[in-house]
Structure formats: structure tokens, C-alpha cells
Amino acid sequence: MARQVRARGLAAGKSSAQIAEEIYEKCSSQFGTTRIKGHRLAHGVALADVIEQIRALFERDGKSAPGIGETLLSAYESGLKRPGPEYLHYLCSAYRVEPASLGYDGPCICGHGHKMPGVVRGDLQDGRPDISPGPRELLIQSIGVECSADGGEEDENVLRRTLLQLLAGSGSGIALDGQVLGSVESMRRRMDDTLVSATVSPAMLDQWEESTIGFGRQYMNTAPLRLLCDVMLEFAAYARPWSGASRSTCRNDCAAWRRSSPV
């Protein structure tokens, strides 16, 4: 069925992205075809072809060969796994679409579009790129979020002030406003950049797992905003490109915040 849709789409002069959407609409209900698989079928290529394209993109960017293979890509296409920020970026680059076209929410970590080489964002319309914000940016703008660009210190200060107010017992009048959400979004984006550009040691992964388990235990008996501040302040220790000493200091500060009031 996908082969027929592709052949008719090519005959009608449709783009690969348009054909992929038609394949998804016609095959998803009957065969469980995902959006990301629809794009591969729209290009008429095998799993191995996509893997080679991603490897070529890694080589172009001066990176070592990726660990992605046909088994992992098949897991993405079946919905069993979700690609991480780096692999999602290169899948978008290979198919020249945005994450939403592949069935994933949020913008790409690269911050620009993939639809055509050299285009900053979006489709070409009348010779000009469409730079309208995506769904995630529209949601953030609608609640008044302004992500800071000062390296993250102000984001952490926002969360520290909120946490101090909560610890002081004035939490009844504190809301999850746009400023707090903006700080959270900025930290998340910096963490995406860190995961792509940095190498994570086994010891660091153990620390992350230990922190995650600890926050999981607090989840059922800690106020949501209090827990969010705790998590994001810990998160900042890894999201910022600091030295080891600075990271250790931040982690100790976060631990002190959590111990300052009984759960």
C-alpha cells in the first residue's frame, strides 16, 4: 500500500514529506505505521540506507561513527523506543523535516530547520523561509515565558527564590508562573546541548541514576512545585558546562536545599 501511495505521489509531483503524511494516514490504522516509518517508506529506501545516511552526516560533522543500527532504527519505527536528542537531529536532517513530522514533540536541539539545506527554518514560500514558531514555542509564548540567555545563573536564582518562599511557609500564594516555566525550559535546552556535546562517564551515569531514584521516592509525598525546584536545581548541576569543582558545589547546594525541610 505504501509503495502505491509513493508511486502516485511522485507521479503527481508531491514532495517526500507530503507522501509520508499520506502513507501515515492510509497505513497507520491498518498496519500501525508510525510517522517516522512513513518517511522512510516515502523515500523508498531500506533501513540500511537510512543508517548509512546518518553515518555520513556524522562523518560530515567530524564526529565518530554513531552506534545506531538497523535494530535500533526499527525500534524507533515501531514505537518501542524514542530517539535521543542527537539521533533525532540526524534523523530530521536525513529526512529534511522537523521532529513533529516524525511524530515527536518539541523543537530540535540544533535550533534551526531541516527541510532544505541552508534554510534557517521551515518550508520555502515565495522564495522566503517560513520562520513561524512551532507548537512548543507558541505554548511557551502564550504563558509569557522568556528563556534567559545569561548562562543559566538567573534561571537557578528564580528556582532558588521560589524554593526559599516554599521553605518559609508562604507556598500557598506561589504559583507555577511563566518565569518559573521559562527557567525550566532554559535548563532543559542546555541539558540537550550538554548531552550532545559532552561525553558522560559511567560514574556520572551512576550519580544520575542515584538522584533519579531519590526523587522518585519523594514523588508521592512532596508538593509538586517543591519537588520541581529540587529536581531542576539538581538538573542544573549537569546542564551547565561547569568545571568539576563548580558542579560538585552546586550538587552540594541542592542537597542542602532538600535537607533544609523534612519531607
Side-chain angles (χ1 to χ4, degrees), residues 13 37 40 47-49 51 62 76 83 87 101 117 121 126 161 166 169 172 224 227 229 237:
K37 185 174 183 177
R40 181 173 62 80
L47 290 167
D49 297 312
I51 297 301
Y76 295 157
Y87 283 163
S101 297
R121 181 189 289 273
D126 301 327
R161 286 194 295 267
L166 291 169
S172 58
L227 185 60
C229 291

Coordinates of all heavy atoms in Angstrom, one line a residue, residues 13 37 40 47-49 51 62 76 83 87 101 117 121 126 161 166 169 172 224 227 229 237:
G13 N 3.8 14.8 -8.5 CA 4.7 15.8 -8.2 C 4.7 16.2 -6.8 O 5.2 17.4 -6.4
K37 N 8.3 5.9 10.3 CA 8.4 4.9 9.3 C 7.8 5.3 7.9 O 8.3 5.0 6.9 CB 7.7 3.6 9.7 CG 7.9 2.4 8.8 CD 7.3 1.2 9.3 CE 7.5 0.0 8.4 NZ 7.0 -1.3 9.0
R40 N 10.4 7.0 5.8 CA 11.4 6.0 5.1 C 10.7 5.4 3.9 O 11.3 5.3 2.8 CB 11.9 5.0 6.1 CG 12.9 4.0 5.4 CD 13.5 3.0 6.4 NE 12.5 2.2 7.1 CZ 12.0 1.1 6.5 NH1 12.3 0.7 5.3 NH2 11.1 0.3 7.2
L47 N 16.1 0.2 5.7 CA 16.7 0.6 7.0 C 18.2 0.9 6.8 O 18.7 1.9 7.4 CB 16.4 -0.4 8.1 CG 15.0 -0.6 8.6 CD1 14.9 -1.9 9.4 CD2 14.6 0.5 9.4
A48 N 18.8 0.0 6.1 CA 20.3 0.2 5.9 C 20.7 1.5 5.2 O 21.7 2.1 5.5 CB 20.9 -1.0 5.2
D49 N 19.8 1.9 4.3 CA 20.1 3.1 3.6 C 20.0 4.3 4.5 O 20.8 5.3 4.4 CB 19.1 3.3 2.5 CG 19.2 2.2 1.4 OD1 20.3 1.9 1.0 OD2 18.1 1.6 1.0
I51 N 20.5 4.3 7.8 CA 21.7 4.2 8.7 C 22.9 4.7 8.0 O 23.7 5.5 8.6 CB 21.9 2.7 9.1 CG1 20.7 2.2 9.9 CG2 23.2 2.6 9.9 CD1 20.4 3.0 11.2
G62 N 32.3 15.7 11.5 CA 33.6 15.4 12.2 C 33.4 14.6 13.5 O 34.2 14.7 14.4
Y76 N 12.7 2.5 16.7 CA 12.1 3.8 16.6 C 10.8 3.7 15.8 O 9.8 4.3 16.1 CB 13.1 4.8 16.0 CG 14.3 5.1 16.8 CD1 15.5 5.5 16.2 CD2 14.4 4.9 18.2 CE1 16.6 5.8 16.9 CE2 15.5 5.1 18.9 CZ 16.6 5.6 18.2 OH 17.8 5.8 18.9
P83 N 14.0 8.2 19.8 CA 15.4 8.6 19.6 C 15.8 9.7 20.6 O 15.0 10.6 20.9 CB 15.4 9.1 18.2 CG 14.0 9.4 17.9 CD 13.2 8.5 18.7
Y87 N 20.3 11.7 18.0 CA 19.8 10.9 16.9 C 18.6 11.5 16.2 O 18.4 11.4 15.0 CB 19.5 9.5 17.3 CG 20.7 8.6 17.6 CD1 20.7 7.4 18.3 CD2 21.9 9.0 17.0 CE1 21.8 6.6 18.5 CE2 23.1 8.2 17.2 CZ 23.0 7.0 18.0 OH 24.1 6.3 18.2
S101 N 7.1 16.2 12.3 CA 6.7 15.4 11.1 C 7.1 13.9 11.3 O 6.5 13.0 10.7 CB 7.5 15.9 9.9 OG 7.1 17.2 9.6
P117 N 18.6 22.3 2.7 CA 19.9 22.8 3.1 C 20.0 24.3 3.0 O 19.6 24.9 2.0 CB 20.8 22.1 2.1 CG 20.1 21.0 1.6 CD 18.6 21.4 1.6
R121 N 14.8 28.0 8.8 CA 13.6 27.3 9.4 C 12.5 27.2 8.4 O 12.1 28.1 7.7 CB 13.1 28.0 10.7 CG 12.0 27.3 11.4 CD 11.4 28.2 12.4 NE 12.3 28.4 13.5 CZ 12.3 27.5 14.6 NH1 11.5 26.5 14.6 NH2 13.2 27.8 15.6
D126 N 7.3 31.5 -1.5 CA 7.6 32.7 -2.3 C 9.0 33.1 -2.2 O 9.4 34.3 -2.1 CB 6.7 33.8 -1.8 CG 5.2 33.5 -1.9 OD1 4.9 32.8 -2.9 OD2 4.4 33.9 -1.1
R161 N 14.8 31.3 44.6 CA 13.9 32.2 45.3 C 12.5 31.5 45.6 O 11.9 31.6 46.6 CB 13.7 33.4 44.5 CG 14.8 34.4 44.5 CD 14.4 35.8 43.9 NE 14.1 35.7 42.5 CZ 14.9 35.9 41.5 NH1 16.2 36.2 41.8 NH2 14.5 35.8 40.3
L166 N 8.9 28.7 49.5 CA 8.2 27.5 49.9 C 8.7 27.0 51.3 O 7.9 26.6 52.1 CB 8.4 26.4 48.9 CG 7.8 26.6 47.5 CD1 8.3 25.5 46.5 CD2 6.2 26.5 47.6
G169 N 7.3 28.8 54.3 CA 5.9 28.6 54.6 C 4.9 29.4 53.9 O 3.7 29.5 54.3
S172 N 1.5 28.9 49.9 CA 0.1 28.9 49.4 C -0.2 29.9 48.4 O -1.1 29.8 47.6 CB -0.8 29.2 50.7 OG -0.4 30.4 51.3
P224 N 4.2 19.3 44.5 CA 4.7 19.4 43.1 C 5.7 20.5 42.8 O 6.8 20.2 42.3 CB 3.5 19.5 42.2 CG 2.4 19.0 43.1 CD 2.7 19.3 44.5
L227 N 9.0 19.9 44.7 CA 9.8 18.8 44.0 C 10.4 19.3 42.7 O 11.5 19.0 42.4 CB 8.9 17.6 43.8 CG 9.7 16.3 43.3 CD1 10.8 15.9 44.2 CD2 8.7 15.2 43.0
C229 N 11.4 22.3 41.9 CA 12.5 23.2 42.2 C 13.7 22.3 42.6 O 14.9 22.5 42.2 CB 12.2 24.1 43.4 SG 11.0 25.4 42.9
A237 N 23.1 21.2 37.8 CA 24.5 20.8 38.1 C 25.1 20.1 36.9 O 26.3 20.1 36.7 CB 24.5 19.9 39.3

